[in-house]
Amino acid sequence: MVIEGNHEIEPQASGVTFKSYSERFAVPATESGSNSNFYYSFDAGGVHFVMLGAYVDYNQTGAQYAWLKEDLSKVDRAVTPWLVATMHPPWYNSYSSHYQEFECMRQEMEELLYQHRVDVIFAGHVHAYERMNRIYNYTLDPCGAVYITIGDGGNIEKVDVDFADDPGKCPSPGDNVPEIGGSCPLNFTSGPAKDKFCWDRQPDWSAFRESSFGHGILEVMNSTHALWTWHRNQDVYKDNSYGDQIYIVRQPNLCISPATSSRRKKRDIRRRK
């Protein structure tokens, strides 16, 4: 499954964009209730995947947000306990490249994903690797999602090496503006980076980051445990070598989503009747 990114815009003289993306890939948009190939969902095993479009309207008044709200409300965590979202650009990113570029999208959509207890959110765009601690609204939160930037598959633009917290590497608020959509740069309102646009060290929400090309594998073990492993291109597989590895653990009894809570209440009412 695929989702559009900035390289798929491909503007043509006639004003047409995303032509190759739209014609080349078949995605289950209609099957998931979406009217657009730029956002859709599907199930694979015990995982419900939500594919989000960052280069079409993502505002709370738009069609994508309405579809997302409806799609998430239908997820039955007894059938697909894992909920994974994917979009091209990351919302959390401590590299200078694309720093806070899609802060507008985060402000519009993050609360909805958090309310439904999305477990993992994958992104690319930044040509490097970074894994975040569980986070919501720039605050460490045991019920927040694990954000992973896995934009390190290889490209002609080279790997991103500068961190926004490196001396002299903090971009200006006007440096990273998306090709489509608005710009919403913000200063942090609490913590060690309060009133600043960038941290002066690796942020507490950034658990691991490295400027290497590679790829990752997510192995869903059961309804509460999944193993995430990131391999550098140069890692030697026969030595069981890897760059980063963690178990992602769900805590459904602690992090109850509104949808799950609502279903439980309805079941309890039916039992009492």
Side-chain angles (χ1 to χ4, degrees):
M1 294 290 102
V2 297
I3 200 66
E4 80 282 355
N6 57 308
H7 289 279
E8 283 69 59
I9 298 175
E10 297 181 329
Q12 300 181 21
S14 59
V16 174
T17 55
F18 295 102
K19 183 67 173 178
S20 297
Y21 172 84
S22 299
E23 298 292 335
R24 180 170 296 175
F25 300 108
V27 299
T30 302
E31 294 88 336
S32 61
S34 171
N35 61 3
S36 170
N37 285 359
F38 296 110
Y39 51 88
Y40 60 93
S41 65
F42 63 95
D43 293 340
V47 185
H48 183 71
F49 288 93
V50 177
M51 313 293 282
L52 299 176
Y55 297 89
V56 291
D57 184 11
Y58 47 70
N59 294 311
Q60 295 181 9
T61 56
Q64 179 175 195
Y65 190 90
W67 166 82
L68 176 62
K69 189 174 181 179
E70 178 71 12
D71 183 81
L72 292 176
S73 71
K74 294 177 180 178
V75 176
D76 186 348
R77 304 302 280 265
V79 178
T80 53
W82 288 88
L83 187 49
V84 175
T86 298
M87 78 275 298
H88 180 69
W91 292 348
Y92 292 97
N93 165 40
S94 68
Y95 286 85
S96 297
S97 179
H98 306 299
Y99 182 78
Q100 284 200 26
E101 186 174 314
F102 278 80
E103 177 61 20
C104 292
M105 186 182 185
R106 185 195 70 82
Q107 292 178 22
E108 292 290 325
M109 287 188 158
E110 185 186 26
E111 183 178 359
L112 184 59
L113 299 185
Y114 177 75
Q115 288 176 352
H116 286 270
R117 301 301 188 248
V118 172
D119 299 297
V120 190
I121 299 178
F122 289 106
H125 203 39
V126 176
H127 301 152
Y129 174 75
E130 186 169 21
R131 171 175 56 82
M132 265 51 75
N133 291 309
R134 288 189 177 274
I135 187 174
Y136 168 62
N137 196 26
Y138 284 104
T139 302
L140 298 180
D141 190 313
C143 297
V146 175
Y147 288 78
I148 297 175
T149 300
I150 186 75
D152 55 345
N155 58 82
I156 62 173
E157 297 175 346
K158 300 181 180 179
V159 70
D160 289 320
V161 298
D162 294 331
F163 300 118
D165 50 273
D166 287 338
K169 298 300 182 179
C170 179
S172 71
D175 283 346
N176 295 320
V177 178
E179 291 89 338
I180 298 175
S183 178
C184 304
L186 59 77
N187 287 350
F188 297 100
T189 57
S190 61
K194 184 177 180 180
D195 298 326
K196 297 178 181 178
F197 186 54
C198 297
W199 285 61
D200 59 5
R201 60 182 184 275
Q202 183 172 0
D204 58 7
W205 39 263
S206 174
F208 184 91
R209 58 189 185 179
E210 184 174 311
S211 300
S212 294
F213 287 136
H215 70 277
I217 300 173
L218 180 67
E219 300 176 75
V220 176
M221 304 300 189
N222 51 44
S223 63
T224 57
H225 288 69
L227 180 64
W228 167 255
T229 306
W230 174 63
H231 294 278
R232 306 178 189 86
N233 282 358
Q234 63 268 31
D235 289 337
V236 180
Y237 285 88
K238 66 180 180 180
D239 293 336
N240 197 28
S241 169
Y242 52 81
D244 184 34
Q245 186 177 69
I246 61 161
Y247 273 102
I248 299 173
V249 181
R250 297 183 60 248
Q251 301 184 81
N253 293 328
L254 171 65
C255 305
I256 301 174
S257 70
T260 302
S261 178
S262 176
R263 291 193 186 97
R264 288 180 179 176
K265 288 179 181 177
K266 289 179 181 179
R267 284 198 296 264
D268 291 342
I269 290 172
R270 285 197 296 266
R271 286 170 183 159
R272 284 196 294 268
K273 289 180 177 179

